[in-house]
């Protein structure tokens, strides 16, 4: 493994106002032997703005250390968010070479 790949997160705005200046963070979710989950920060990237009914692609470089089904979580940290719907989980299948 350890070969770098890109993971693209789509930050969408379906609200009623444009969103200015926020960060998107990507975490890998790892299940520990005891069944608990640990979130490992892959990276954080700034987004200048996303207009209403628009989106912005946010790309992270990632080098998986193992093959298999990997889980990730992306969070947009928007300060004045009321709904709290700024989190998404994705599953990625990594195949050995």
């Amino acid at each position: 493994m350890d070969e770098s790949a890109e993971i693209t997160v789509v930050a969408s705005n379906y609200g009623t106002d444009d969103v200015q200046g926020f960060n998107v963070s990507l975490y890998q979710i790892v299940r520990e032997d005891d069944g608990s989950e640990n979130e490992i920060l892959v990276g954080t990237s700034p987004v200048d703005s996303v207009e209403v009914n628009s989106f912005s692609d946010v790309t992270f470089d990632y080098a998986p250390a193992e093959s298999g089904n990997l889980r990730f979580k992306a969070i947009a940290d928007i300060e004045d968010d009321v709904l709290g719907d700024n989190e998404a989980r994705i599953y990625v299948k990594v195949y050995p070479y």
Side-chain angles (χ1 to χ4, degrees):
M1 301 292 81
D2 290 326
E3 187 170 321
S4 185
E6 290 184 343
I7 297 175
T8 300
V9 174
V10 179
S12 303
N13 180 3
Y14 298 113
T16 57
D17 297 314
D18 294 348
V19 180
Q20 305 292 325
F22 63 95
N23 291 318
V24 174
S25 297
L26 180 68
Y27 297 86
Q28 181 179 1
I29 302 169
V30 178
R31 185 172 300 270
E32 303 296 340
D33 292 337
D34 65 1
S36 64
E37 292 183 344
N38 192 15
E39 297 177 356
I40 300 168
L41 180 64
V42 172
T44 299
S45 184
V47 177
D48 291 331
S49 67
V50 179
E51 295 177 356
V52 173
N53 294 320
S54 187
F55 65 90
S56 178
D57 288 339
V58 183
T59 303
F60 296 90
D61 289 322
Y62 179 72
E66 59 188 339
S67 62
N69 291 315
L70 305 180
R71 295 187 307 154
F72 294 89
K73 175 173 78 171
I75 299 176
D77 66 347
I78 300 172
E79 284 189 28
D80 61 350
D81 179 52
V82 177
L83 296 177
D85 59 350
N86 298 324
E87 181 177 319
R89 292 177 183 250
I90 59 173
Y91 295 85
V92 177
K93 176 75 173 184
V94 177
Y95 295 95
Y97 296 98

